[in-house]
Amino acid sequence: MPESVSPRAALGPARLWDSTVGSDTSFLLARANALSLLRINSTLAPWELKVRSYSVLALAAADARPTQRELSEFLQLDPSQIVALIDALERRGLVAREPDPSDRRANILVCTDAGRELYARAQAAVGLAEAELFDGIDPGVLDAVVTGLRHLAAAPTRD
Amino acid sequence: MPESVSPRAALGPARLWDSTVGSDTSFLLARANALSLLRINSTLAPWELKVRSYSVLALAAADARPTQRELSEFLQLDPSQIVALIDALERRGLVAREPDPSDRRANILVCTDAGRELYARAQAAVGLAEAELFDGIDPGVLDAVVTGLRHLAAAPTRD
DNA sequence: TATTGTTATACTCTATAACTATA
DNA sequence: TATAGTTATAGAGTATAACAATA
């Protein structure tokens, strides 16, 4: 985020929170996500990862063996963006493309040992950062947040 | 979103949801936000608004009388982006800059009658879209989601 | 000296279309 | 004829620094 926005004042005046926008779920979702993204991206910086590349690496490390098309659908990213993400990770020797035996057009994303090692360390840091992020939220509430978000996140996109 | 991603398949294979990423709160937050953003932006399209400009208009219409600096902090956007957002709304006669009597450097954002009218119609549509978006979520869970998001959204950014 | 709004610019992200090789 | 991956490119969004007016 911009350095011109001072950390202390980042909340903005209470007057604005009292407005309609302050209780709008979409707005809260956007703001919560922006803050979480900021935090997690800065947590991942030492490993030269961002949330996007971290997610791809995580799916590779979990041996989910996704094709690029599946990654595109799951991460809600254009296939061409997946290409760029994998290219960068592959250049660093963290993941590899494996030909799909059942469809010679498709590539399956797999993880290298180096990728697993780096992921393990990054994941630990992300876990800590998330715990900090969610610190102070009642466990029951947090549980409901996850349930609700999962419902939202899993909703079919009907354009 | 890319048209190449078919609506039906947008969930991706269940196998991927079972991975670590699928239960990661930050990931769920990002995905839920992406889907909500898509939906609300397409809802706002008839009024030539996006979530960003809609939020600015909403704060103006609520007579929150924010300065541009306050908007920047509240919306987590760079001051220069606020300039562009207000410029566009002002050109359409929906908002206006009013000099702050107590600080001649600052501008206060106010709403025109046309702005209020357009906002009222847009807000109704957004309300419907959100209701659809959150349809099927247990009211108690939704309540907790709002509480949790508000906590996250209001967290001070400590870089 | 510091802050508000502004401009300019570079950079990243996202969207789109076209192409190839397979199906 | 449709799909998986790739490439190229244009547009939107974002970050950064510098500036004039004011505090």
Side-chain angles (χ1 to χ4, degrees), chain B residues 19-115:
Chain B
S19 73
T20 22
V21 190
S23 50
D24 181 85
T25 315
S26 300
F27 169 73
L28 293 174
L29 197 53
R31 203 183 141 114
N33 180 55
L35 295 179
S36 143
L37 207 65
L38 257 176
R39 174 64 75 86
I40 307 295
N41 271 341
S42 86
T43 299
L44 288 170
W47 294 279
E48 292 181 81
L49 289 171
K50 293 192 174 183
V51 168
R52 290 280 160 81
S53 41
Y54 174 75
S55 301
V56 172
L57 182 60
L59 288 163
D63 293 314
R65 299 181 63 79
T67 64
Q68 295 188 200
R69 180 65 46 169
E70 287 173 331
L71 282 172
S72 158
E73 288 156 1
F74 188 66
L75 299 175
Q76 293 278 294
L77 295 174
D78 192 87
S80 60
Q81 295 177 252
I82 300 293
V83 171
L85 284 169
I86 296 183
D87 279 354
L89 291 173
E90 196 171 36
R91 252 183 268 116
R92 295 171 61 191
L94 302 174
V95 302
R97 287 170 164 98
E98 203 173 84
D100 184 340
S102 69
D103 184 342
R104 283 196 295 172
R105 291 172 305 182
N107 296 328
I108 288 170
L109 182 75
V110 295
C111 200
T112 65
D113 290 343

Side-chain angles (χ1 to χ4, degrees), chain A residues 50 52 77-78 80-81 102-105:
Chain A
K50 293 192 174 183
R52 291 278 161 82
L77 296 173
D78 193 86
S80 60
Q81 295 177 254
S102 69
D103 184 342
R104 282 196 295 170
R105 292 172 305 181

Side-chain angles (χ1 to χ4, degrees), chain A residues 73-86:
Chain A
E73 288 156 3
F74 187 66
L75 299 176
Q76 292 279 291
L77 296 173
D78 193 86
S80 60
Q81 295 177 254
I82 300 293
V83 171
L85 283 169
I86 296 183

